[in-house]
Each structure stands twice: as C-alpha cells, then as structure tokens.
Amino acid sequence: MTDHRNYMAEHSGKDVLSSDVEIKGSIKFKKDLLIDGKVEGEINSDGALTIGENGDIRGEIKTKSITVYGKVHGNITVGERCELKSCCTLQGDLKAAHLVVEEGASFIGKSEVNSGKPAASKPEIVRHEEPAAPIKAAFGGRS
C-alpha cells in the first residue's frame, strides 16, 4: 500500500478537505484534519494536521502536530511533533518540539527544534583578580 493510501486510510472518518477544495481565508479546527486541497491563509489548531500529497498551503500554520506530504509555502509553528515526508516541499521557517525529516523531503528555510526542556541558563563566568603582570614581560618584550 502506498503512503498516499496509508494516510487516506488513517484519516477515514476524520475531517478531510479533499483535493478538489480550494479555500482562501483562515481555518480553525479542534481535533484532526487532513487537507488534500489548496488553502491560502492562516491555519490554527490545537489538533493534528496532515497535508496530503495534493495539498498546497500558502500561509502560516500553527498547530499541535503536523505531517506534511504535500507543499507548504509559509512558516510552521508546532507545539509537539512535525514530520516532513519524503515527497513534501516546505518553503518557510519551522519551529517544533520534535522534528522528523524523511530522505527526499525538500525544506528551504530555518528550523528551530526545542524539545520543551527548559533552556540551560548561561554559565556564569567567574574571574579571580590576580596581580597584573607587566605586559612586556608576559609577551617576552624588553623592559
């Protein structure tokens, strides 16, 4: 079974925007959504988003998790997991807690992966004052 059939089978019974759907505007959803059509605009959700092989998204995406098989032209911010499948194209910046990129995926942009662990504070630099030695002596110069 191909990947296309796999993700269509996985999403049977879930909300789907099929390949013949084109939307200009914002999309908000709560659970799971498969977009296999074209969207021009912002997508916001606390759920899981899948961009199908025919999916073509032009705009910002902010969601809990995302799996991309198709094309995204815009920035993606994900609270948990982002998967870029081998047939996908992402042109934009990406922020995620976890990132999986399959061989063959096309990604043009910057990525920021933060597993949600608190960032370590910068180490404190401690300098002990020592008597200053003459610079000439330290570099072998003449007195």
Side-chain angles (χ1 to χ4, degrees), residues 33-107:
L33 179 64
L34 166 63
I35 299 176
D36 207 31
K38 294 182 180 181
V39 174
E40 188 175 321
E42 193 174 287
I43 300 173
N44 280 301
S45 176
D46 290 330
L49 176 63
T50 301
I51 308 298
E53 283 181 349
N54 299 310
D56 188 353
I57 312 301
R58 297 188 178 274
E60 301 289 316
I61 298 174
K62 294 177 184 173
T63 186
K64 179 178 166 186
S65 67
I66 188 169
T67 303
V68 182
Y69 291 89
K71 297 176 187 171
V72 176
H73 191 268
N75 298 334
I76 297 176
T77 304
V78 182
E80 293 180 3
R81 182 181 175 95
C82 176
E83 287 187 60
L84 302 179
K85 297 297 189 176
S86 61
C87 51
C88 88
T89 300
L90 170 58
Q91 189 169 354
D93 295 342
L94 172 66
K95 289 182 184 180
H98 301 283
L99 175 61
V100 178
V101 181
E102 288 186 356
E103 184 176 354
S106 174
F107 174 35

Side-chain angles (χ1 to χ4, degrees), residues 11-49:
H11 288 85
S12 62
K14 297 181 182 175
D15 295 330
V16 176
L17 294 177
S18 62
S19 59
D20 63 339
V21 174
E22 290 187 28
I23 295 176
K24 286 187 181 184
S26 299
I27 295 178
K28 291 184 180 182
F29 63 97
K30 292 187 186 226
K31 294 184 181 178
D32 297 334
L33 179 64
L34 166 63
I35 299 176
D36 207 31
K38 294 182 180 181
V39 174
E40 188 175 321
E42 193 174 287
I43 300 173
N44 280 301
S45 176
D46 290 330
L49 176 63

